[in-house]
Amino acid sequence: MKATPRKSSLFSCVVLLLAARLSAQTPAIPLYQDAAQPIDARVQDLVARMTLEEKVAQLQGFYVTDPHAFDDQGNFTGGTSAAELYRGAGTVRAANHDRFAGKPREAVLRFNSIQKFMREKTRLGIPALSFAEALHGYMAAGATSFPAAIALGSTWDPALVEQVFTAAAQEASARGVRQVLSPVLDLARDARWGRFEECYGEDPYLVAQMGLAAVLGLQGRAPLIDAQHVAVTLKHFAGHGQSEGGRNIAPLSFGDREFRSTHLYPFEMAVKVAHAHSVMASYNSWDGVPNHVNHKLLTDILRTEWGFNGFVMSDGGGIDVVYENHLAAAGPAAAGILSLEAGVDYELSGNGRSFSTLAEAQKAGKVSLAAIDRAATGVLRVKFLTGLFDHPYTDPDLPAKVTNTAEHKALARRAAQEAMVLLKNDNRTLPFDATKLKTLAVIGPNAADIHLGGYSAVPMEGVSVLQGIREFAGDSFQVLYAEGCKLTANHASGWLVNENPVLNDAADDSRLIDDAVATALKSDAVLLVLGENEILRREAWSEDHLGDRDTLDLVGRQHDLARAILATGKPVAVLLLNGGPLAVNYLQAHAPAIIEGWYLGQETGRAVADVVFGKVSPSGKLTVTFPRNVGQIPVYYDHEPSRFRDYTLSDSTPLYPFGHGLSYAAFAYANLQVSPGKIAPDGTARVTVDVTNTGVMAADEIVQLYLHAVTSLPVRPVQELKDFTRITLQPGETRTVTFTLTPDKLAAYDLQMHRTVQPGDFEIQVGTSSVDTLKTTLAVE
């Protein structure tokens, strides 16, 4: 079996979309160079002037391996004439900013020289487009690393997410980046999938809201993208998060109605509402057709139905996957033609094999010129939108002014605080009272290392849990540390390296567990930090870079460590740092307190200290359902009503339900009302509920609104999240929360595949989680 091609998009690299021919600049200013003209007119004028080869050159990229291939004057000095570089498909192989790691000023200067070459020494002066990764902050050495997407989702705070990605855009654009490969709008519907951490959650409405916030943060809210923002790339289109068996790039076979209602909905909102300018096709197939060659998906739905006018990018080597793994084409040339005609506009990596022969194919009548024009138009339009034609250069001193500033660090800390989910807190184990502690033991394989998750710059930098606790403690109490056991023997190698995890020697782990018990016995309380690392769960792109899991148990001897620490009788709080749901049944039964932290970003340790010692109350809520074991998968909350049978000899309820999350405060819900109680299908209704903080400290609560169509054909889920809001309440404070139910929230696809509001009763549910709600009824007549 052939391995999936390694994705070159994983690196924060400069990818340049080129024009092919060289000649002297035209003396007169063409329309496309006139900044006063409308963008569509400029694009049309430029495309009309381009040769076939120049158009095809826009559909591919190159990576500059030699950082000094272009001098400060924009001259090519790489040992090959410029004419040779642009012969044929017009691409240049190889290059990334790794050679400038930690030297952003030098990287900007070098990229400016490339832009000078493109602007002054090519026939049409088409600028280069640089893009990078930004799943939870701009992925570059020294840039701010925010919590992973699954953690950002757990904040249920779109305003915060918009701020996070505004900061990421500012840091990326300061280094000359004009497009990022973010956000991920896949639904996290299979906990076995290695890329779970890249997603915001399992629910289409919630993911859509977070996705809208991310797009608005990255691109800004103006029609054009200014110098502090970047174009987005929605990924992975579509269905990538629920592939067969939870295996990366495996197929899925949903019907049209379910696919549109769930996996397509976040993308539809990001295109129609936030006007996302680029979309990345996903590796998987839908109903037997690989998404990279799926005309229905990329053209009929995306372009014709939704009105998308940007460009579609392949995933890294995604066109190669069409013939190498799906066996849907005879080779790279055939796959390239199929992908282009289906709606793919730009080939990301893949060694340029698939799109490099498009010019020859067009001359031979194998591919239409209209498809090539469409693709070039989409790519060029984004270049104009991002201002590259009018402002191609970047201030080399800007990165130092805007990267990882005090403001961005504070934002990363706040995001980490809001992301933590208190799963359990018996007998008010948390928060720890720092005034009563003399000694705290911080124990566990994830305590002393920094874990940021995948798509993070390597080496990872930030504040570990141990460091954050020690900073908080100062001289007020002693902090002891023991590793307890190892997750893997090779965890330090990071998420990028092509090697699979190796478990630690059992005897060595036994010694570490004994040391941890001795440390715990010397303490007044224990913070036990367990979970995963970046080599255990990640994007599986080859057989020597696996990442999907067939068990959700804690890896290695973590359960043995937990049993031994809990047996000491000390107050124990468990902190989980991980990339996806874990079946922590033993911990739920025996540990007094559990916090789900996911990967919390560079300010992990400081934010954990804030929560563990009660400086802030935990306020995150789960955006995914936790199964008790893999046998419960799929276990998402919004299932159809006929999925109700229990399993034999088993508790069939989830370990933790969707929307679950405790607080150091307590909240009472009352007076749920809907007005009017009856509406027409095109009417609206107002839902109100009183929420009171009955606790003793100020805290945030996330108020969630669900609906259930009591009778429906086609069948609708037992619950559907349709709104939510985060509020802050002081002790004893009551607030009336108001939601508005509009036709778009009540509508669903009917038997004719039209989104309509069908008459009938809707049960309205408002509460603190999907299983703890007040209920009332709205009639649609």
Side-chain angles (χ1 to χ4, degrees):
M1 176 178 177
K2 295 182 179 178
T4 303
R6 176 169 174 173
K7 293 178 58 180
S8 23
S9 69
L10 297 172
F11 302 98
S12 251
C13 51
V14 177
V15 177
L16 311 175
L17 311 181
L18 302 174
R21 286 189 177 175
L22 300 175
S23 73
Q25 295 289 326
T26 305
I29 298 178
L31 186 149
Y32 76 87
Q33 291 182 354
D34 185 353
Q37 298 298 321
I39 283 181
D40 286 344
R42 297 177 74 183
V43 173
Q44 292 173 13
D45 179 70
L46 177 56
V47 171
R49 298 170 183 268
M50 297 171 70
T51 66
L52 174 62
E53 287 75 17
E54 286 170 337
K55 294 172 184 177
V56 170
Q58 292 297 311
L59 317 186
Q60 303 163 83
F62 70 83
Y63 303 89
V64 182
T65 49
D66 179 4
H68 302 291
F70 298 86
D71 65 20
D72 293 340
Q73 313 311 310
N75 296 308
F76 180 75
T77 60
T80 305
S81 72
E84 288 176 319
L85 287 175
Y86 296 117
R87 190 165 52 197
T91 60
V92 180
R93 282 302 303 157
N96 57 53
H97 272 321
D98 291 351
R99 298 285 292 275
F100 291 111
K103 300 178 180 179
R105 191 177 192 279
E106 289 83 347
V108 170
L109 285 170
R110 194 55 54 207
F111 188 64
N112 281 346
S113 70
I114 296 173
Q115 291 289 43
K116 186 176 180 67
F117 176 86
M118 299 303 300
R119 184 181 180 90
E120 298 180 2
K121 302 181 185 298
T122 64
R123 188 177 79 90
L124 295 171
I126 299 175
L129 177 65
S130 172
F131 58 75
E133 299 286 358
L135 266 62
H136 49 102
Y138 171 44
M139 195 186 91
T144 309
S145 182
F146 294 95
I150 190 64
L152 290 174
S154 297
T155 69
W156 295 62
D157 192 343
L160 172 68
V161 171
E162 183 172 349
Q163 292 177 50
V164 164
F165 284 101
T166 298
Q170 185 183 38
E171 295 188 9
S173 61
R175 301 199 197 188
V177 173
R178 305 306 296 149
Q179 180 180 358
V180 295
L181 308 185
S182 179
V184 171
L185 300 187
D186 300 317
L187 300 187
R189 292 207 155 201
D190 194 318
R192 297 169 294 185
W193 188 43
R195 307 190 73 172
F196 202 93
E197 70 189 62
E198 300 177 29
C199 308
Y200 295 113
E202 70 184 33
D203 178 79
Y205 179 82
L206 182 138
V207 172
Q209 297 307 303
M210 294 301 177
L212 288 172
V215 173
L216 293 173
L218 290 166
Q219 290 191 167
R221 290 176 172 265
L224 302 181
I225 298 174
D226 63 31
Q228 294 190 5
H229 291 87
V230 294
V232 302
T233 308
L234 308 179
K235 60 185 194 181
H236 308 85
F237 193 59
H240 202 35
Q242 198 177 350
S243 57
E244 188 175 289
R247 302 187 189 201
N248 199 39
I249 85 166
L252 61 142
S253 301
F254 297 107
D256 209 34
R257 180 176 290 102
E258 182 178 4
F259 197 52
R260 288 173 177 267
S261 301
T262 54
H263 293 280
L264 294 190
Y265 179 76
F267 290 92
E268 181 180 5
M269 292 300 100
V271 169
K272 288 183 173 180
V273 178
H275 308 294
H277 295 308
S278 180
V279 171
M280 178 182 286
S282 57
Y283 290 123
N284 58 279
S285 64
W286 169 38
D287 194 25
V289 182
N291 285 353
H292 279 72
V293 296
N294 196 321
H295 190 278
K296 177 179 179 178
L297 183 66
L298 302 181
T299 296
D300 297 345
I301 295 175
L302 178 62
R303 288 187 165 91
T304 304
E305 293 184 25
W306 299 353
F308 177 72
N309 63 357
F311 76 92
V312 175
M313 175 187 290
S314 81
D315 205 337
I319 301 178
D320 293 341
V321 170
V322 170
Y323 64 88
E324 289 184 341
N325 300 100
H326 291 296
L327 307 181
I337 292 170
L338 287 172
S339 297
L340 182 75
E341 294 286 4
V344 174
D345 302 309
Y346 172 75
E347 180 183 12
L348 177 64
S349 65
N351 299 317
R353 289 174 291 191
S354 298
F355 273 13
S356 62
T357 57
L358 285 179
E360 290 80 0
Q362 197 282 323
K363 293 174 182 177
K366 296 180 180 179
V367 65
S368 68
L369 181 60
I372 292 174
D373 284 350
R374 178 215 71 223
T377 296
V379 172
L380 290 168
R381 189 172 189 277
V382 171
K383 289 187 176 185
F384 279 108
L385 284 168
T386 56
L388 276 171
F389 278 86
D390 307 313
H391 306 286
Y393 305 119
T394 303
D395 179 358
D397 295 320
L398 188 57
K401 299 175 183 177
V402 304
T403 300
N404 208 9
T405 61
E407 180 184 4
H408 290 179
K409 290 177 181 177
L411 182 61
R413 185 169 180 170
R414 178 186 158 205
Q417 291 170 349
E418 290 193 15
M420 278 178 268
V421 182
L422 183 61
L423 299 177
K424 180 182 180 182
N425 194 25
D426 286 356
N427 303 317
R428 296 189 176 274
T429 300
L430 288 175
F432 289 144
D433 188 341
T435 66
K436 296 180 180 179
L437 281 177
K438 294 182 179 179
T439 305
L440 176 70
V442 179
I443 295 172
N446 275 350
D449 295 335
I450 182 68
H451 293 285
L452 304 179
Y455 287 86
S456 301
V458 177
M460 296 183 184
E461 298 177 349
V463 180
S464 70
V465 173
L466 180 61
Q467 179 184 342
I469 297 297
R470 282 179 169 162
E471 287 181 4
F472 180 91
D475 297 328
S476 61
F477 59 86
Q478 185 180 12
V479 178
L480 304 178
Y481 164 69
E483 185 176 16
C485 67
K486 293 182 181 297
L487 296 180
T488 56
N490 56 340
H491 71 281
S493 54
W495 68 278
L496 273 171
V497 71
N498 285 318
E499 63 181 55
N500 290 318
V502 177
L503 293 180
N504 193 40
D505 176 70
D508 184 51
D509 277 340
S510 293
R511 177 187 60 79
L512 293 172
I513 291 172
D514 290 343
D515 290 345
V517 170
T519 301
L521 291 171
K522 298 174 186 176
S523 70
D524 300 313
V526 177
L527 179 62
L528 183 58
V529 190
L530 307 174
E532 297 174 316
N533 62 31
E534 293 83 358
I535 201 170
L536 285 170
R537 186 196 295 263
R538 58 185 176 176
E539 179 182 2
W541 65 55
S542 68
E543 289 305 306
D544 59 358
H545 194 279
L546 299 175
D548 308 316
R549 300 192 58 191
D550 66 355
T551 175
L552 302 181
D553 293 338
L554 287 168
V555 170
R557 299 193 61 190
Q558 292 185 88
H559 269 127
D560 294 336
L561 172 63
R563 290 187 184 94
I565 298 301
L566 290 169
T568 65
K570 302 289 183 177
V572 177
V574 175
L575 171 66
L576 299 173
L577 298 179
N578 47 290
L582 296 171
V584 289
N585 295 279
Y586 178 83
L587 295 179
Q588 174 59 23
H590 299 283
I594 307 172
I595 295 174
E596 174 57 81
W598 309 111
Y599 292 129
L600 290 169
Q602 68 177 45
E603 299 299 316
T604 291
R606 297 185 180 114
V608 166
D610 293 336
V611 168
V612 166
F613 293 103
K615 183 178 179 181
V616 297
S617 173
S619 58
K621 303 275 188 175
L622 295 179
T623 60
V624 294
T625 306
F626 273 46
R628 295 181 183 275
N629 52 64
V630 292
Q632 287 189 326
I633 296 173
V635 72
Y636 44 85
Y637 85 98
D638 55 336
H639 58 84
E640 293 189 1
S642 57
R643 197 191 85 188
F644 67 92
R645 292 258 184 244
D646 289 341
Y647 293 107
T648 302
L649 302 175
S650 177
D651 184 345
S652 298
T653 63
L655 182 60
Y656 302 112
F658 179 87
H660 173 68
L662 306 176
S663 171
Y664 295 156
F667 300 97
Y669 286 66
N671 302 321
L672 175 62
Q673 298 181 21
V674 58
S675 178
K678 296 180 182 180
I679 62 172
D682 60 351
T684 63
R686 194 167 71 108
V687 178
T688 59
V689 67
D690 294 338
V691 184
T692 302
N693 182 347
T694 61
V696 296
M697 72 177 292
D700 285 7
E701 168 68 337
I702 297 165
V703 186
Q704 305 162 38
L705 182 149
Y706 301 85
L707 64 78
H708 167 55
V710 177
T711 303
S712 60
L713 183 68
V715 174
R716 293 181 65 166
V718 294
Q719 275 184 306
E720 300 173 57
L721 179 72
K722 291 300 178 181
D723 214 337
F724 59 87
T725 187
R726 174 183 276 268
I727 60 174
T728 302
L729 295 177
Q730 299 298 318
E733 180 183 0
T734 298
R735 184 177 305 174
T736 299
V737 175
T738 301
F739 299 106
T740 302
L741 285 176
T742 51
D744 63 296
K745 293 178 181 178
L746 297 172
Y749 286 99
D750 61 19
L751 292 172
Q752 288 72 44
M753 288 302 297
H754 300 129
R755 284 188 61 84
T756 59
V757 179
Q758 297 188 37
D761 289 343
F762 288 84
E763 186 177 69
I764 310 303
Q765 308 168 8
V766 179
T768 190
S769 78
S770 62
V771 299
D772 186 3
T773 63
L774 301 178
K775 299 176 182 179
T776 189
T777 301
L778 169 69
V780 176
E781 299 180 341

